[in-house]
Amino acid sequence: LRQRTAGSDVAAGESVTQAIERQATRVKDVENHLWTELRGAATDLPVPLTELKRAAQEIRLQQERLLPTQRNAKLLKLAQDIDESPPQLLWQRVDEMRREFGAGLSKGELLSGVSPMQSERLYSAALSDMERAAARSDVPGLGQVYRQVRQFGAQARALFKDSEIARVMEADAEDVVKMLAGGPSVIARAKEAILGSGRLGLAMPSTEARESWNLFRRHIMENIFERATDKSAKGFVIEPLSGVRLERLLKELGDDSLKELLTDVERKALSNILTVTKAVRLGERAGAASYTSATAQAVSVQALMAAPGAIVGSAVGLGAPTGGLLSLLFLPVPVAKILTSET
């Protein structure tokens, strides 16, 4: 079991990470396309360099106050060039500068020669100047389009760079699911990053994305079912689920997290599974012979365990899974898989 669990930790983590990477690439491609369209509409628009020159002058002054051996030559030259440039440039040139500053943010100081903090400062200044120019432009709707592009980028960064999603991308595969199961808000962001963001207009998940999402939530439920096994029960080849433990573990996970993980139909099925596990345990105690008693209660339990799959599926609201209740109810892995399968 330990080997299987360890293996599934890695498999689930790798699947989730790959799904997030695909969505992040998809979002970046859309953002680049939006900027390209915006650049086409505003190519000849003059952009006064108010904020960009102010930022460059401050950086230049800071660098010139340092000893020559302490200065960042590349940063100082960049600040000087901006400070000494014309008071306004065409949109296309300012947009090129914006992309250069953005590349510095992603590459870091070792590759770009400019610290991410200074790149961010120049990047933000360029955006401010572009926003002001777009708002004052005679091009119909340009200001609104610019704000929409900026909002798209801000939401994308909030999801993929400023949340735990970014940390997950650097984590070991076996830790990924655990990191993303840290509460309803974290699970909601994981869902958005895997399946696609409705806020970004990209909530049309691929088959691969759905499979990764199902594996992620299945892994969480599987872990809960495994922890809910009743090691004190007698007379079973496989340890059965304890309704009491299952109920406690589901409460620890929380209703809000369950709402993010499971559909309404799946939550109803889970409630029914919980009811049946508690009823079976009560029947075992009433029979007082570990499911081997010939009492009426034990006979009823035995009949329930042997129920055909269609009856069991109907009872928990999951259709008609194969096998009797024993195969559905007392095996954590199958019940987690059935519960989180869309078909």
Side-chain angles (χ1 to χ4, degrees):
L1 177 60
R2 290 179 181 176
Q3 290 180 347
R4 187 207 60 73
T5 302
S8 63
D9 284 344
V10 173
E14 289 177 345
S15 178
V16 168
T17 300
Q18 291 168 5
I20 293 174
E21 288 175 344
R22 287 193 296 269
Q23 282 296 337
T25 299
R26 182 186 179 198
V27 168
K28 188 61 179 177
D29 288 345
V30 171
E31 184 180 10
N32 288 339
H33 174 75
L34 292 174
W35 275 108
T36 299
E37 292 295 313
L38 183 61
R39 188 161 54 249
T43 298
D44 298 325
L45 180 68
V47 179
L49 304 183
T50 307
E51 296 299 326
L52 190 53
K53 277 185 170 291
R54 180 179 292 115
Q57 289 164 2
E58 291 175 357
I59 292 172
R60 181 177 183 176
L61 182 59
Q62 291 170 354
Q63 288 293 312
E64 289 175 344
R65 286 175 175 173
L66 298 174
L67 295 174
T69 56
Q70 297 175 320
R71 295 172 183 171
N72 182 327
K74 185 169 184 177
L75 177 60
L76 178 57
K77 178 66 167 57
L78 176 62
Q80 288 172 338
D81 289 345
I82 296 173
D83 187 23
E84 296 170 4
S85 66
Q88 65 181 29
L89 296 173
L90 293 182
W91 180 282
Q92 186 158 342
R93 175 57 189 139
V94 179
D95 190 46
E96 289 174 358
M97 296 168 70
R98 174 194 67 81
R99 282 181 286 167
E100 291 171 6
F101 303 148
L105 282 173
S106 60
K107 291 178 181 178
E109 187 169 7
L110 290 178
L111 293 179
S112 69
V114 179
S115 72
M117 182 178 68
Q118 300 294 10
S119 293
E120 172 66 30
R121 191 176 183 187
L122 294 169
Y123 184 85
S124 297
L127 288 174
S128 296
D129 287 339
M130 294 171 77
E131 181 174 13
R132 188 176 295 107
R136 296 174 180 176
S137 168
D138 294 331
V139 179
L142 185 63
Q144 181 179 355
V145 172
Y146 179 82
R147 288 192 297 272
Q148 290 173 341
V149 174
R150 286 291 312 281
Q151 184 179 19
F152 183 96
Q155 291 177 341
R157 283 189 293 277
L159 178 61
F160 291 104
K161 291 188 177 181
D162 299 335
S163 73
E164 52 284 307
I165 300 299
R167 294 191 293 275
V168 162
M169 302 305 290
E170 304 297 326
D172 293 331
E174 60 266 27
D175 297 326
V176 168
V177 174
K178 185 185 300 183
M179 292 174 67
L180 294 178
S185 60
V186 179
I187 293 173
R189 284 191 288 274
K191 185 177 183 178
E192 188 177 13
I194 295 170
L195 292 178
S197 172
R199 293 182 300 159
L200 297 177
L202 299 176
M204 296 180 64
S206 64
T207 300
E208 287 181 324
R210 289 188 179 278
E211 289 175 352
S212 295
W213 171 244
N214 283 340
L215 183 58
F216 168 73
R217 64 203 190 106
R218 182 182 304 158
H219 200 66
I220 294 175
M221 299 308 300
E222 180 182 312
N223 178 263
I224 288 176
F225 287 128
E226 286 178 344
R227 291 168 61 197
T229 54
D230 187 353
K231 301 184 185 302
S232 66
K234 307 296 183 181
F236 284 97
V237 177
I238 302 169
E239 296 165 347
L241 293 176
S242 163
V244 174
R245 291 181 185 177
L246 181 57
E247 185 173 40
R248 175 176 56 79
L249 290 167
L250 291 175
K251 285 183 178 178
E252 289 179 4
L253 181 62
D255 288 341
D256 290 338
S257 292
L258 283 172
K259 288 178 182 178
E260 294 293 343
L261 288 168
L262 304 177
T263 66
D264 291 344
V265 172
E266 290 166 343
R267 290 202 307 278
K268 176 62 176 175
L270 180 61
S271 176
N272 291 343
I273 289 172
L274 178 59
T275 299
V276 174
T277 56
K278 292 169 73 174
V280 169
R281 187 57 171 151
L282 288 172
E284 185 266 354
R285 288 173 177 168
S290 306
Y291 300 102
T292 61
S293 171
T295 63
Q297 295 93 332
V299 170
S300 297
V301 169
Q302 291 167 1
L304 183 60
M305 287 181 356
I311 297 176
V312 173
S314 177
V316 299
L318 289 170
T322 303
L325 181 58
L326 187 62
S327 67
L328 171 67
L329 188 58
F330 299 143
L331 290 174
V333 176
V335 75
K337 184 172 182 178
I338 292 169
L339 184 66
T340 58
S341 294
E342 295 183 345
T343 56

